[in-house]
Amino acid sequence: MFAKQLSVFIENRQGRLGEVLNVLKDNGVNILSLSLADTTEYGLLRLIVSDPESGKERLAEAGFSSILSDVLIIEIPHTAGSLQGLLKSIETAGVNVEYMYGLSIEAERAYVVLKASDLQAAATAIEAYGVKTVTREQLSSM
Amino acid sequence: MIWSKEETLSRKEIEALQLSRLQETVKRVYEKVAPYRAKMDAAGVRPEDIKCLADLAKLPFVTKQDMRDNYPFGLFAVPKDDLVRIHASSGTTGKPTVVGYTENDLKMWTECVSRIACMGGATKKDVAQICFGYGMFTGALGLHYGLENIGAAIVPSSTGNSEKQIMYMKDFETTLLVATPSYALRLAEVARELGVDPKKDLKVKIGLVGSEMLTDAMRAEMHKCWGDEMLITSNYGMSELMGPGVSGECEYMDGMHINEDYFIPEIIDPVTGEVLPEGEKGELVITCIKKEGLPLIRYRTKDITRLTYAPCKCGRTFCRMENLSGRSDDMLKIRGVNVFPSQIEEVILGFDELGPHYEIVVERDGYLDKLTVRVELAHSTDSFAELERLAADVKGRLKTMLGVDAKVKLESPNTLQRFEGKAKRVKDLRSK
Ligand SMILES: [Zn+2]
């Protein structure tokens, strides 16, 4: 039910982001989505990639430390207010959404990557709300 | 147990003893040591000007440089015939510093170390393994004679060949270990590699550690390896003053009792040389008041500590010096505040989220000093909030510890420079 996210800590120095992306490209790790949260000092790069384990290993060899964590990838129906309704259902279940960013795999469908305080409870709430989550197996076959 | 009755003298008795011994020593060096006489003459002070202990501050300091300038025997107060032992400290730069002992000096040394070993729990029943390097270094032989005097069985295993060290420890049922804190940790590591659990398979219950700073973090780490019941005390000394035995911790581990009947301690501001009041942190200055061979007066140790004369639970009346918090050579003056890299290190080691490597950068921004501490994350995270909280916590604790604001820069693991020899972690970019 969960997908794996690869997070990399990077200092805000000229070229650091590019170095990370290069390592992944050179090793054939495909980036499906990316989000960067940063201050003037450092940033946290969060990635959904084709092969997270290999991405983590290749980055470690290049001197970057990263970690893998569980996230939910949720398909968002193309109707007004669907995202708002989805978030409300998670909130009602008493779960806190930590962060969220968009993901586009197929032309007609929209997805979001979501991290919550209690991922299992969030997944249950989403299911009850009637939207689908994408597993990592499904993700790799897309 | 308290080894000698001198250790419980009243303050009045200690001071009376110190004054008479100080006067005698000053008079003797003035007469017999030409460089001292020259220094005192230049400062306009004569032996008869020392009328009370506070007059000590009138006397000029002696530094390691003075010892080098008078290499090898220029500061000695006895003819060479009277010496029975000569040691030297390996100078990494320039000439070594040479120290010499008369027969009485060796007796005094043995007495001082016996007291410190006794404070640390040593008895005649102990099998004491001395894992300090024997040779020109004073550490090993100092502990050796002191422990032997107590009646312990000495295993002079020296340093190196760690596997054999573990074998001796096991087969001889060693109960007392003399080592630097870092070598004690290394030995525990080697033991485990050999399938020997230091906590269960060895009988070591006492650790007398020295010749390196013992921080609380280091002591906690040692307990993890050697067991919680082990009594680990630190002791202090340096060859210029005698060797180990200047001071040591008792079982209450709240500072090291200084053998005040042989040494007078002072704390000075390392920049101005001014004597600081009790409790303030500064450079330790020691005057030897009973030595014959090399009685150094107001020797600048470069070690940073503070003194307390408050009574100790153990019953000893000798004042205590706090475990060292750095070297004055490393001190940084930031916006008028004295900052030691070791204080910063202590804060960093307190965070599991951070690795042990760091870099300190000092810059001048207009008229203001700017302190930046670069630290490495121990592992990556996916939580931005966690990073922000961590940076704020480190900053907060640095502020509490140092009294000045520091900027904290989080870095990826393995990005800061590593050092094989002595680490150079401070970059002072201010033009002097
Ligand atoms: Zn005590």
Side-chain angles (χ1 to χ4, degrees):
Chain A
M1 181 181 303
F2 304 143
K4 281 278 182 232
Q5 170 186 264
L6 180 64
S7 308
V8 195
F9 174 88
I10 45 174
E11 300 86 358
N12 271 359
R13 251 199 331 262
Q14 189 82 37
R16 283 296 266 180
L17 178 59
E19 281 173 46
V20 173
L21 300 183
N22 264 338
V23 171
L24 297 176
K25 185 195 86 186
D26 291 348
N27 290 285
V29 178
N30 192 13
I31 298 172
L32 305 174
S33 178
L34 167 160
S35 129
L36 180 65
D38 67 343
T39 67
T40 51
E41 298 297 328
Y42 55 83
L44 200 54
L45 180 63
R46 302 185 180 113
L47 300 156
I48 302 296
V49 295
S50 54
D51 186 348
E53 281 78 13
S54 142
K56 181 173 164 40
E57 268 172 45
R58 300 290 92 80
L59 282 171
E61 286 162 13
F64 288 95
S65 164
S66 58
I67 66 159
L68 295 177
S69 43
D70 287 331
V71 288
L72 285 171
I73 296 183
I74 309 157
E75 183 181 337
I76 304 295
H78 266 304
T79 49
S82 61
L83 184 58
Q84 187 268 339
L86 171 81
L87 288 179
K88 198 161 181 278
S89 72
I90 297 175
E91 246 168 59
T92 312
V95 177
N96 183 28
V97 174
E98 289 176 9
Y99 55 83
M100 198 169 78
Y101 53 98
L103 167 71
S104 135
I105 320 166
E106 296 158 307
E108 319 81 67
R109 294 196 191 142
Y111 298 86
V112 289
V113 179
L114 183 142
K115 175 78 175 178
S117 53
D118 182 342
L119 220 49
Q120 189 59 57
T124 311
I126 291 162
E127 211 173 317
Y129 182 68
V131 292
K132 279 184 277 179
T133 56
V134 181
T135 64
R136 60 173 304 179
E137 292 73 29
Q138 287 168 319
L139 194 64
S140 50
S141 66
M142 281 192 225
Chain B
M1 192 197 124
I2 296 175
W3 185 255
S4 292
K5 60 179 192 324
E6 282 81 2
E7 295 174 81
T8 54
L9 290 176
S10 70
R11 185 52 36 196
K12 227 176 129 188
E13 288 168 312
I14 295 170
E15 287 180 356
L17 188 63
Q18 284 182 330
L19 182 60
S20 72
R21 289 183 173 181
L22 173 67
Q23 286 168 328
E24 189 279 323
T25 302
V26 172
K27 189 164 171 289
R28 188 156 43 89
V29 296
Y30 187 80
E31 282 163 11
K32 298 195 170 154
V33 187
Y36 263 112
R37 191 162 51 244
K39 262 185 180 261
M40 284 173 63
D41 285 344
V45 53
R46 296 184 55 83
E48 49 274 25
D49 295 333
I50 308 302
K51 296 192 174 73
C52 62
L53 284 176
D55 289 335
L56 183 59
K58 293 178 181 167
L59 294 165
F61 294 115
V62 174
T63 63
K64 202 173 187 112
Q65 192 55 46
D66 290 313
M67 299 187 74
R68 292 209 180 101
D69 292 346
N70 294 287
Y71 176 87
F73 304 132
L75 292 178
F76 283 31
V78 294
K80 227 160 71 190
D81 280 3
D82 293 349
L83 297 180
V84 296
R85 176 97 64 78
I86 295 167
H87 278 280
S89 71
S90 59
T92 41
T93 50
K95 295 240 178 67
T97 46
V98 181
V99 297
Y101 304 78
T102 63
E103 203 180 328
N104 282 333
D105 288 340
L106 286 188
K107 276 187 197 144
M108 162 193 158
W109 191 9
T110 297
E111 160 73 17
C112 285
V113 178
S114 301
R115 293 177 186 175
I116 266 91
C118 186
M119 271 186 229
T123 67
K124 70 182 295 288
K125 290 192 185 130
D126 282 305
V127 176
Q129 193 161 330
I130 300 184
C131 306
F132 271 163
Y134 279 74
M136 295 305 271
F137 169 62
T138 51
L141 285 169
L143 266 307
H144 183 118
Y145 285 100
L147 282 161
E148 203 168 69
N149 189 40
I150 283 183
I154 308 294
V155 182
S157 58
S158 197
T159 50
N161 206 345
S162 305
E163 290 174 16
K164 206 156 243 165
Q165 300 266 15
I166 301 302
M167 189 189 83
Y168 295 146
M169 240 173 244
K170 194 158 180 274
D171 298 348
F172 302 168
E173 302 190 327
T174 298
T175 55
L176 186 155
L177 173 68
V178 172
T180 61
S182 48
Y183 193 49
L185 290 178
R186 172 69 193 140
L187 283 171
E189 205 172 73
V190 174
R192 285 194 300 266
E193 281 165 21
L194 295 171
V196 174
D197 181 352
K199 291 185 217 172
K200 283 194 229 118
D201 306 328
L202 299 177
K203 296 203 156 59
V204 181
K205 290 288 168 286
I206 295 172
L208 297 180
V209 302
S211 103
E212 241 179 43
M213 268 166 52
L214 179 68
T215 59
D216 288 344
M218 201 70 168
R219 184 160 13 214
E221 201 63 37
M222 281 185 69
H223 278 301
K224 259 190 241 164
C225 299
W226 290 92
D228 291 333
E229 334 65 271
M230 187 175 180
L231 178 59
I232 303 163
T233 58
S234 65
N235 57 77
Y236 174 81
M238 52 175 60
S239 62
E240 295 92 315
L241 300 172
M242 177 175 77
V246 173
S247 66
E249 280 180 317
C250 64
E251 70 268 35
Y252 293 99
M253 291 171 285
D254 192 15
M256 299 183 280
H257 288 284
I258 298 176
N259 279 314
E260 282 191 276
D261 48 345
Y262 295 121
F263 304 98
I264 303 180
E266 296 170 279
I267 298 292
I268 63 160
D269 181 316
V271 178
T272 63
E274 208 180 311
V275 177
L276 298 175
E278 177 185 344
E280 271 189 44
K281 209 174 242 195
E283 181 180 336
L284 177 70
V285 170
I286 294 273
T287 297
C288 304
I289 49 173
K290 194 61 186 159
K291 272 179 79 188
E292 294 175 346
L294 183 64
L296 294 183
I297 290 174
R298 300 198 89 200
Y299 183 69
R300 291 191 60 162
T301 65
K302 302 272 178 113
D303 286 319
I304 301 298
T305 182
R306 70 175 108 215
L307 298 177
T308 174
Y309 289 82
C312 182
K313 282 181 240 160
C314 70
R316 289 179 185 83
T317 51
F318 285 164
C319 75
R320 285 167 287 154
M321 58 184 268
E322 198 176 69
N323 279 353
L324 303 186
S325 50
R327 303 268 304 156
S328 65
D329 290 345
D330 303 333
M331 191 186 82
L332 295 163
K333 201 115 188 162
I334 313 247
R335 274 168 261 147
V337 179
N338 296 346
V339 169
F340 296 98
S342 56
Q343 295 174 295
I344 295 175
E345 181 174 292
E346 200 180 323
V347 169
I348 293 168
L349 289 178
F351 283 91
D352 290 338
E353 300 92 328
L354 301 178
H357 301 277
Y358 61 94
E359 186 180 272
I360 298 164
V361 185
V362 194
E363 295 156 292
R364 182 104 63 196
D365 190 4
Y367 290 104
L368 266 183
D369 298 325
K370 220 173 77 190
L371 173 68
T372 304
V373 181
R374 296 176 65 199
V375 288
E376 276 184 10
L377 291 171
H379 37 72
S380 213
T381 166
D382 68 333
S383 165
F384 198 67
E386 209 174 277
L387 286 174
E388 288 189 309
R389 197 166 48 235
L390 176 63
D393 283 354
V394 177
K395 198 174 153 66
R397 270 201 241 164
L398 283 172
K399 169 88 186 179
T400 311
M401 174 71 99
L402 310 175
V404 290
D405 276 310
K407 189 170 155 187
V408 175
K409 277 193 86 167
L410 300 178
E411 308 274 350
S412 303
N414 300 312
T415 45
L416 297 176
Q417 199 182 341
R418 301 297 196 259
F419 301 90
E420 283 180 2
K422 198 171 149 51
K424 258 189 80 77
R425 302 197 193 279
V426 180
K427 274 193 187 149
D428 197 339
L429 306 174
R430 296 172 291 187
S431 46
K432 293 269 155 75

